[in-house]
Amino acid sequence: MIRVRVPLKIENTVLSKSKDFAIRIVRMYQFLQDSNNNPLPEYVMSKQVLRSGTSIGANIREARRAQSTADFIAKLYIALKEADETAYWIELLYSTNYISEQMYKSILDDCEELLKLLTTIIKTTQAKNS
């Protein structure tokens, strides 16, 4: 295992925010299950957002134990792609009226913050190692 040098404050921030986001995703999934009687389109979308939204933090956590800088960056790219996919499912849930505008804006803002943090960490790490 190689320890990639990411400022501890940034590392702790992205770890904390991704876990908090995963908790929000789980709660949104529970809300959708409780309130919509599981129509097929909502069921498929809520399962997808649950999978991708909780995967972000898992991949960030896995990146902490990367075997190399390239492995670290690759795992963060996976987290970045999962965050982008999650934003898509959130947008789709909103566009099909399964979540309110307030819920949409709130959770999408958190997702976009994770996207920005991950992009910054990836770019900074690449710049330091090129």
Side-chain angles (χ1 to χ4, degrees), residues 32 36 39-46 88-101 104:
L32 289 167
N36 289 312
L40 186 58
E42 178 277 319
Y43 177 77
V44 171
M45 289 184 285
S46 64
Y88 171 78
W89 291 116
I90 292 167
E91 290 166 5
L92 201 55
L93 283 163
Y94 173 66
S95 296
T96 54
N97 300 313
Y98 286 108
I99 60 174
S100 68
E101 184 174 359
Y104 165 72

Side-chain angles (χ1 to χ4, degrees), residues 36-84:
N36 289 312
N37 297 320
N38 299 324
L40 186 58
E42 178 277 319
Y43 177 77
V44 171
M45 289 184 285
S46 64
K47 282 286 193 186
Q48 287 294 109
V49 77
L50 178 66
R51 185 202 54 75
S52 63
T54 56
S55 177
I56 300 163
N59 281 291
I60 293 168
R61 186 90 176 242
E62 191 176 338
R64 293 174 52 206
R65 304 285 184 229
Q67 296 174 331
S68 65
T69 301
D71 186 36
F72 176 79
I73 292 169
K75 286 177 178 25
L76 288 186
Y77 263 120
I78 293 169
L80 182 67
K81 291 191 305 186
E82 293 291 341
D84 195 43

Side-chain angles (χ1 to χ4, degrees), residues 3 12 53 82 91 108 121 124:
R3 190 71 178 147
N12 288 340
E82 293 291 341
E91 290 166 5
L108 189 63
I121 294 169
T124 301

